[in-house]
């Protein structure tokens, strides 16, 4: 009898399989083997879709003329970093004593793709079975192997996985090449993608709303009332549905009339309200909660949840995390009370766990729903306790999962909302308050103290929070004081990861109700498993940045969306509909061929859009900031900075004024650069990688841009004089190294316009060393070295031209040189 080959997604999971299966596995390079089974593993994606140039060598050069690239059949290529493990798998698959293969990769779309691509390059027809588990406990693994699913059942999932991969390749590669070629004036690669671009568009459009927001001043009146007892409370003036006025005189008249006047309680309304426990966690709701409570990024939350699932933290203590369901199947009901009973071993939740374990009948109406489970159920504890103390992110995420699991079986939280209307001086004032009657699930999840802080229904976030005395209708007293409050309307908040994940889940639609959000999950931006990586990629390509808990688009990100305008590629709704079609394919309700036909057509339309884009259209996207404070030039946006239009003038030495876009780990927006020019300084800005992190940009003496803390301390002061590289070939200055370049010491001279000579450190994909810069200045040419541009790697050298600019000369193109862009 032959052997069974099990392929896991990563080495640690393969080792868990072997421990659960038992049977004396022996260790070999890249796999474990027993008398009956072989367990090996991938290391993530061992195989990927080939690059365009592997279809046609001419596609190495990026050109709009060769687009769109739409292969009739997609080619695969090994990931060069892990080719050795792929070769081991191919050898094991082809062994004569291997009769059948078990796909033990993660039970989801991405795990299926990893396995299918391995099987494609192995070119085997051996029978396949699918291991499908939602928990990595030994019992769950053994049960999974006892109930392997036929590989044929996975064909719809495999079709969806291939469709997603090919769609991302077609749209992302063609759009990126087209945008980069036509948007060359913006500088650098313009990275676009099927999911990342509409996600970026959400952030950019929110930021533009904030930039365009004009605050309006309004006035409110708060009055303090005293009754016998003594009892006191504060009320806010209102008239009809409004509790504010744009006219100061109106507010002052209300305060004057009410202050010191007799007061009467016109009405007291008490209403009991109940709040139901939230649904169990899926991945997105877990990521949102972890971000709101602890500031964890979506990626950090997913990484912690994966460790807790796989057991690498301290045992397999939670179920499969990459799920979109917030419900459990009916066959899990018998295990719920034992799970709660085991959680009594955790001191922090012992009381709540004992309550659930002691219930005669569990409330399951909002917990169990087989119809709302696709591949995996909600994230819950497995019932195993950590083998050692958890710390950091792992401890926080495990605590959230445990408390949410226990909370869902607790009764509703009950509050009494009180609304008092008091009359004084011919005006009415409203007071709102909330009293906790029964903490219910809120007490179990967060403690009674936190539950009591729940704000009253209908109250504004800035309404006075107070403990209300016992008040009855008809009581009389006095208005002790009345104060006019001057306030301003606030712009919409910037996205946090929590709010972005929420909008990605519903493709930008504003839906608060949990049940309605559940219905939208198959039509969101990406999947729970991919959203964290989408956010991280936008950060990696410098399209967005984190400012504390907030996410903000950089100038580069804004330009990428501006380049597209209202094109459908920026539409969250369209991408959501595509995701729904992928979900339909996964469940056998959609056609892969029809989906891919539409993706190919859309790809062609994207390329056609860029083909029609003119260079004038692109240049117009660069912001004009304002007049230069140094000369009569204009400050315009370029790839790295906001610089003077005359800074590299051939007729004159150049102005040299510049505001770098990146300042101490934070990007400066065109709006902030404009404020600096107009006012001489910006408001205090958050997010600098300094201590303190709040600072402002200031135009100092000589129009030098400096970064100052609130107390005036300079945060960007140079560490000391830079080493001299050489004498300047253009003037009598010295070439010195700075953070980005080797530049002339007089380039920002206040007494003279400045020299402007510079050799950028980052040139054509290569970091130029001080010795190489010195060589080109002293000898006029550097040695041959390796560079890289859009066409690929090439040999070249730096050349000092007769007009004292530095160019890159290609070895294979003789005298044709490419002038360095600033």
């Amino acid at each position: 009898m032959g052997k069974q080959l099990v392929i896991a997604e990563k080495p640690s999971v393969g080792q868990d399989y072997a421990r659960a299966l038992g049977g004396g596995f022996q260790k070999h390079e890249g796999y474990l083997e027993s008398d009956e089974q072989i367990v090996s593993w991938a290391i993530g994606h061992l195989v990927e879709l080939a690059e365009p140039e592997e279809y046609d060598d001419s596609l190495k050069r990026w050109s709009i003329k060769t687009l769109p690239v739409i292969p009739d059949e997609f080619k695969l290529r090994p990931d060069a970093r892990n080719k050795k493990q792929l070769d081991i798998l191919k050898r094991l698959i082809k062994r004569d004593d291997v009769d059948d293969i078990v796909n033990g990769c993660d039970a989801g779309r991405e795990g299926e793709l990893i396995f299918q691509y391995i099987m494609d390059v192995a070119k085997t027809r051996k029978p396949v079975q699918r291991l499908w588990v939602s928990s990595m406990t030994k019992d769950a693994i053994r049960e999974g192997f006892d109930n392997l699913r036929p590989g044929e059942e996975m064909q719809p999932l495999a079709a969806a996985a291939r469709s997603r991969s090919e769609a991302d390749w077609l749209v992302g590669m063609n759009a990126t090449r087209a945008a980069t070629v036509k948007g060359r004036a913006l500088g650098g690669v313009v990275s676009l993608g099927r999911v990342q671009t509409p996600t970026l568009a959400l952030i950019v459009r929110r930021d533009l709303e904030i930039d365009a927001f004009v605050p309006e001043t309004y006035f409110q009146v708060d009055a303090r009332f005293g009754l016998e007892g003594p009892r006191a409370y504060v009320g806010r003036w209102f008239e009809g549905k409004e509790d504010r006025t744009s006219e100061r005189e109106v507010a002052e008249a209300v305060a004057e009339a009410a202050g010191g006047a007799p007061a009467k309680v016109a009405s007291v309304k008490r209403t009991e309200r109940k709040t139901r426990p939230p649904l169990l966690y899926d991945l997105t709701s877990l990521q949102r909660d972890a971000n709101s409570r602890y500031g964890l990024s979506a990626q950090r939350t997913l990484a912690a949840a994966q460790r807790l699932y796989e057991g690498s933290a301290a045992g397999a203590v939670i179920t499969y995390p990459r799920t979109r369901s917030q419900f459990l199947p009916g066959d899990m009901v018998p295990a719920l009370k034992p799970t709660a009973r085991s959680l009594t071993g955790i001191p922090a939740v012992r009381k709540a766990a004992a309550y659930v374990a002691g219930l005669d009948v569990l409330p399951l109406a909002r917990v169990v729903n087989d119809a709302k489970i696709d591949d995996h159920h909600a994230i819950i504890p497995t019932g195993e306790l950590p083998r050692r103390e958890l710390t950091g992110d792992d401890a926080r995420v495990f605590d959230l999962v445990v408390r949410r699991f226990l909370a869902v079986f607790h009764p509703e939280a009950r509050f009494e909302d009180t609304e008092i209307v008091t009359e004084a001086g011919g005006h009415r004032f409203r007071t709102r308050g909330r009293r906790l009657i029964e903490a219910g699930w809120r007490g179990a999840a967060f403690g009674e103290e936190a539950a009591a802080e729940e704000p009253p229904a209908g109250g504004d976030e800035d309404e006075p929070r107070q403990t209300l005395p016992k008040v009855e209708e008809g009581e009389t007293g006095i208005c002790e004081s009345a104060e006019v409050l001057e306030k301003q309307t606030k712009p919409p908040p910037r996205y946090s990861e929590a709010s972005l994940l929420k909008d990605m889940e519903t493709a930008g639609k504003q839906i608060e109700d949990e049940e309605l959000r559940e219905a939208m999950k198959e039509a969101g931006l990406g999947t729970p498993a991919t959203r964290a990586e989408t956010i991280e990629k936008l950060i990696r390509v410098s399209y967005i940045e984190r400012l504390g808990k907030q996410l903000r688009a950089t100038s580069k990100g804004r330009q990428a969306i501006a380049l597209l305008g209202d094109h459908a590629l920026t539409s969250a709704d369209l991408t959501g509909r595509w995701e729904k079609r992928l979900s339909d394919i996964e469940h056998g309700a959609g056609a892969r061929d029809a989906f891919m036909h539409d993706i190919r057509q859309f790809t062609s339309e994207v390329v056609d859009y860029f083909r029609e884009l003119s260079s004038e259209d692109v240049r117009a996207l660069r912001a004009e900031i304002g007049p230069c404070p140094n000369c009569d030039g204009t400050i315009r946006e370029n790839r790295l900075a906001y610089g003077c239009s005359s800074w590299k003038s051939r007729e004159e030495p150049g102005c040299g004024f510049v505001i770098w876009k990146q300042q101490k780990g934070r990007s400066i927006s065109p709006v902030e650069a404009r404020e600096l020019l107009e006012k001489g300084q910006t408001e205090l800005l958050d997010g600098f990688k300094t201590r303190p992190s709040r600072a402002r940009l200031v135009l100092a003496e000589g129009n030098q841009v400096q970064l100052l803390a609130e107390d005036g301390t300079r945060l960007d002061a140079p560490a000391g004089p830079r080493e001299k590289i050489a004498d300047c070939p253009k003037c009598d200055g010295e070439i010195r190294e700075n953070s980005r370049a080797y530049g002339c010491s007089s380039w920002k001279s206040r007494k003279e316009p400045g020299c402007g000579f510079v050799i950028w450190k980052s040139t054509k994909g290569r970091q130029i060393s001080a010795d190489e810069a010195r060589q080109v200045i002293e000898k006029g040419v550097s040695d041959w070295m390796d560079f890289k541009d859009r066409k690929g790697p090439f040999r070249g050298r730096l050349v000092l031209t007769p007009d004292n600019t530095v160019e890159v000369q290609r070895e294979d193109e003789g005298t044709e040189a490419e002038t360095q862009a600033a």
Side-chain angles (χ1 to χ4, degrees), residues 49 51 80 208 252 396 412 464 483 568 664 693 727 732:
L49 293 176
E51 292 296 320
L208 291 174
E252 288 177 342
R396 294 186 182 99
E412 299 168 324
E483 178 186 9
K664 291 294 182 182
S693 61
D727 291 325
D732 59 359

Side-chain angles (χ1 to χ4, degrees), residues 97-136:
D97 62 340
V98 170
D99 288 344
D100 69 301
I101 301 167
V102 173
N103 176 1
C105 293
D106 269 11
R109 195 187 291 172
E110 215 54 28
E112 192 67 26
L113 186 69
I114 289 170
F115 178 81
Q116 292 294 335
Y117 279 176
I118 291 170
M119 297 299 283
D120 286 351
V121 298
K123 295 181 171 62
T124 182
R125 293 188 177 181
K126 291 182 179 180
V128 172
Q129 299 182 84
R130 188 55 155 111
L131 174 67
W132 200 266
V133 295
S134 291
S135 170
M136 287 297 291

